[in-house]
């Protein structure tokens, strides 16, 4: 980490340093959002809502690869930012190399596993006779790019730990932009349909991963991805995984819960399934922006923890909480006002459109809480509070959400599956606020 970056982290005005780190992260997450919407949008231009339903089924399964990359990305970011705050540059370098080669190994194992158990996966996610083959085609192709997905998602976080938010953003934008450009060419021009969407996804992730690899190989960083720097000693593996696994559980459980939602929504027909998939994407607009803001703030908080700069930590948190609340309120309002127009870009059948409008209205009721939730969650990760982070990530998409799905469906039917998310949002935000206040009070109290 350069002297200029250290000066910015320690002394720059709080609004300036927060926005300098958060805006590139939010821009990168917007590109991830566009990338997530692109497949569904261009598949929607085929005017075949069955293919939209197939993509809705396959997407949460593919996101499991991204969740695995989050293990090493968020875990590595937390450990590296604290190590820089403590002046342990060599340790940070070894952590970076550990994350790289762990992504390669885990990505290969996951790819092989997905291909070997493909039919069982399709049965589990509730693929119907109509959606089976297109969903299988999509998942088979994207599974081949597993290691690249992990590397791309990992290092888009780690570059922010060393004070390079703009370069982190470039890697994400490069991969996602390429995916968005290739989607209409492969889906509509070449008429490859869902296979074209999958190929564009793989190529985009390869480009993003390639950018990050070249960044380190060209020696532009104090960190390293060389195999000679790989190590699991000095608790490198344990420290990364103790934060990374709880952080990734949120993403993993999000995928698992979406799989459960899709499987249960399929009981109401493919149009209901397509409507729910699009409604989740509308809500994702607010969610992804707020996730980016939280990720952008985390390295600043982690540095303050490592350097014991508690007053600055408090100022950054105060600004971030209020800013994120306003941000999520504005984004929620925009999504509500543009709701019908957004949905119409994906769906053409009246039945699926009506489902999507109803589900979107329900999901937006608590999206104003997203900003505060993600700032507090990233603050716990920055403090190295592994147990608390584990509790939060198990709760929002698992312990609270999954039981709510079954309970509310039994009472409200298909609408109950949508209402489960607002219930989980409200309870998990209350929980994370309590855990943050307790953890921060203990850490800031002199021994």
């Amino acid at each position: 980490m350069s002297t200029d970056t250290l000066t910015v982290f320690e002394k720059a005005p709080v609004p300036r340093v927060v926005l300098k780190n958060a805006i590139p992260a939010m821009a990168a997450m917007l590109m991830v959002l566009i990338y997530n919407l692109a497949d569904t949008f261009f598949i929607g231009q085929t005017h075949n809502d069955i293919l939209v339903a197939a993509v809705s089924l396959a997407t949460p399964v593919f996101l499991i690869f991204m969740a695995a990359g989050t293990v090493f990305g968020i875990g590595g970011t937390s450990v590296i930012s604290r190590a820089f705050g403590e002046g342990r540059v060599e340790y940070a370098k070894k952590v970076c190399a550990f994350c790289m080669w762990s992504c390669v190994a885990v990505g290969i194992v996951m790819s092989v596993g997905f291909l070997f158990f493909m039919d069982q996966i399709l049965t589990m996610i509730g693929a119907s006779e109509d959606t089976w083959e297109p969903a299988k085609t999509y998942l088979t192709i994207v599974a081949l790019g597993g290691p690249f997905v992990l590397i791309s998602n990992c290092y888009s976080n780690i570059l922010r730990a060393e004070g390079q938010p703009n370069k982190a953003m470039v890697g994400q934008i490069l991969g996602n932009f390429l995916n968005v450009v290739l989607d209409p060419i492969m889906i509509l021009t070449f008429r490859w349909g869902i296979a074209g969407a999958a190929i564009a996804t793989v190529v985009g992730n390869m480009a993003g991963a390639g950018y990050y690899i070249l960044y380190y190989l060209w020696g532009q960083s104090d960190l390293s991805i060389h195999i000679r720097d790989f190590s699991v000693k000095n608790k490198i593996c344990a420290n990364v995984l103790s934060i990374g696994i709880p952080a990734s559980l949120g993403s993993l459980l999000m995928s698992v819960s979406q799989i459960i939602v899709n499987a249960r929504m399929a009981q109401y027909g493919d149009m209901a399934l397509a409507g729910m998939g699009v409604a989740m994407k509308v809500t994702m607009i607010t969610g992804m922006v707020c996730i980016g803001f939280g990720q952008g703030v985390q390295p600043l908080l982690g540095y303050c923890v490592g350097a014991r700069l508690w007053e600055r930590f408090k100022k950054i948190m105060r600004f971030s909480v209020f800013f994120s609340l306003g941000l999520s309120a504005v984004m929620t309002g925009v999504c509500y006002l543009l709701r019908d127009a957004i949905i119409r870009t994906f769906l053409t059948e009246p039945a699926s459109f009506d489902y999507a409008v109803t589900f979107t209205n329900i999901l937006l009721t608590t999206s104003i809480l997203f900003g505060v939730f993600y700032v507090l969650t990233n603050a716990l990760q920055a403090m190295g509070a592994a147990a608390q982070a584990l509790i939060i990530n198990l709760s929002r998409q698992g312990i609270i959400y999954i039981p709510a799905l079954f309970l509310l469906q039994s009472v409200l039917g298909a609408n109950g599956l949508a209402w489960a998310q607002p219930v989980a949002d409200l309870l998990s935000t209350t929980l994370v606020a309590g855990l943050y206040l307790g953890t921060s009070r203990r850490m800031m109290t002199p021994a």
Side-chain angles (χ1 to χ4, degrees), residues 22-105:
I23 288 175
M26 288 190 290
M29 292 309 292
L30 278 173
M31 283 304 302
V32 173
L33 172 66
I34 293 170
Y35 152 75
N36 275 287
L37 296 177
D39 285 354
T40 306
F41 173 76
F42 289 110
I43 286 293
Q45 303 313 298
T46 66
H47 304 298
N48 185 342
D49 286 4
I50 290 295
L51 294 185
V52 174
V55 171
S56 297
L57 280 172
T59 298
V61 181
F62 166 65
L63 292 178
I64 294 174
F65 283 97
M66 298 178 71
T70 301
V71 171
F72 304 104
I74 298 296
T77 296
S78 177
V79 177
I80 290 169
S81 60
R82 280 180 283 135
F84 276 135
E86 296 163 357
R88 302 170 66 195
V89 177
E90 282 302 312
Y91 187 78
K93 180 184 292 187
K94 292 183 181 299
V95 172
C96 185
F98 167 80
C99 292
M100 175 67 188
W101 293 101
S102 296
C103 284
V104 173

Side-chain angles (χ1 to χ4, degrees), residues 302 391 410:
I391 291 169
S410 68

Side-chain angles (χ1 to χ4, degrees), residues 365-433:
T365 56
T366 52
S367 59
I368 192 174
L369 300 174
F370 289 172
V372 173
F373 176 83
Y374 286 114
V375 167
L376 295 177
T377 300
N378 278 276
L380 287 173
Q381 292 164 2
M383 291 187 285
Q388 291 85 343
L390 176 62
I391 291 169
I392 288 304
N393 286 293
L394 284 176
S395 297
R396 182 171 183 263
Q397 297 299 139
I399 296 172
I400 297 174
Y401 182 51
I402 293 175
L405 286 171
F406 291 91
L407 177 62
L408 293 176
Q409 184 190 14
S410 68
V411 177
L412 301 173
N415 286 351
L417 293 174
W419 273 112
Q421 188 63 68
V423 169
D425 290 339
L426 183 60
L427 294 177
S428 59
T429 302
T430 303
L431 178 60
V432 73

Side-chain angles (χ1 to χ4, degrees), residues 70-391:
T70 301
V71 171
F72 304 104
I74 298 296
T77 296
S78 177
V79 177
I80 290 169
S81 60
R82 280 180 283 135
F84 276 135
E86 296 163 357
R88 302 170 66 195
V89 177
E90 282 302 312
Y91 187 78
K93 180 184 292 187
K94 292 183 181 299
V95 172
C96 185
F98 167 80
C99 292
M100 175 67 188
W101 293 101
S102 296
C103 284
V104 173
V106 172
I108 291 172
V109 170
M110 288 182 66
S111 294
V112 172
F114 268 62
L115 293 173
F116 189 78
F117 293 106
M118 184 61 67
D119 287 349
Q120 291 88 336
I121 291 171
L122 291 168
T123 300
M124 179 184 67
I125 64 178
S128 67
E129 182 178 348
D130 291 330
T131 57
W132 183 283
E133 283 304 320
K136 183 175 184 178
T137 298
Y138 186 90
L139 287 176
T140 299
I141 294 171
V142 296
L144 297 174
F148 299 105
V149 178
L150 267 71
I151 292 170
S152 181
N153 279 274
C154 174
Y155 285 90
S156 64
N157 287 289
I158 286 180
L159 262 72
R160 285 193 284 271
E162 57 175 315
Q164 297 292 346
N166 291 325
K167 290 179 179 176
M169 177 183 67
V170 169
Q172 284 185 287
I173 289 177
L174 174 65
N176 295 333
F177 178 75
L178 188 58
N179 179 72
V180 172
V181 169
L182 290 176
D183 262 337
I185 296 173
M186 294 186 171
I187 295 171
L188 303 175
T189 304
F190 292 171
R191 299 187 182 277
W192 290 350
I194 205 165
I199 293 170
T201 297
V202 171
V203 173
N205 278 284
M206 290 176 67
Y211 169 84
Y212 295 125
I213 290 170
L214 290 174
Y215 169 79
Y216 288 105
L217 292 181
W218 286 342
Q220 299 182 39
S221 170
D222 291 329
L223 302 177
S224 169
I225 60 169
H226 288 291
I227 188 68
R228 65 173 178 267
D229 292 312
F230 174 87
S231 176
V232 296
K233 296 178 180 178
N234 298 318
K235 297 184 178 180
I236 287 176
C237 179
N239 288 340
V240 170
L241 298 184
S242 67
I243 294 297
I245 290 177
S248 72
L249 281 175
S251 300
L252 178 61
L253 285 172
M254 187 180 297
S255 297
V256 171
S257 61
Q258 284 185 27
I259 290 169
I260 294 172
V261 170
N262 289 339
R264 300 192 71 80
M265 190 62 76
Q267 300 171 15
Y268 305 98
D270 288 332
M271 294 302 99
L273 178 61
M276 188 62 171
V278 170
M280 286 181 169
K281 291 186 182 300
V282 176
T283 315
M284 190 190 299
I285 295 171
T286 301
M288 295 296 271
V289 172
C290 292
I291 288 172
F293 184 82
Q295 289 179 348
V297 172
Q298 184 184 331
L300 301 174
L301 297 173
Y303 181 87
C304 290
V305 172
R308 314 296 291 179
L309 300 173
W310 294 121
E311 284 304 315
R312 187 161 178 81
F313 181 95
K314 291 177 187 177
K315 290 178 181 177
I316 290 172
M317 279 300 298
R318 192 177 301 117
F319 175 81
S320 299
V321 166
F322 283 109
F323 185 89
S324 65
L325 181 61
L327 176 67
S328 54
V330 170
M331 293 301 299
T332 297
V334 170
C335 289
Y336 183 79
L337 292 173
L338 299 179
R339 172 200 58 195
D340 289 7
I342 296 171
I343 293 170
R344 283 196 181 94
T345 63
F346 297 103
L347 299 172
T348 55
E349 292 288 339
S352 58
F353 177 85
D354 291 341
Y355 273 120
V357 170
T358 299
F359 296 151
T360 299
N361 288 340
I362 294 170
L363 293 175
L364 288 176
T365 56
T366 52
S367 59
I368 192 174
L369 300 174
F370 289 172
V372 173
F373 176 83
Y374 286 114
V375 167
L376 295 177
T377 300
N378 278 276
L380 287 173
Q381 292 164 2
M383 291 187 285
Q388 291 85 343
L390 176 62
I391 291 169

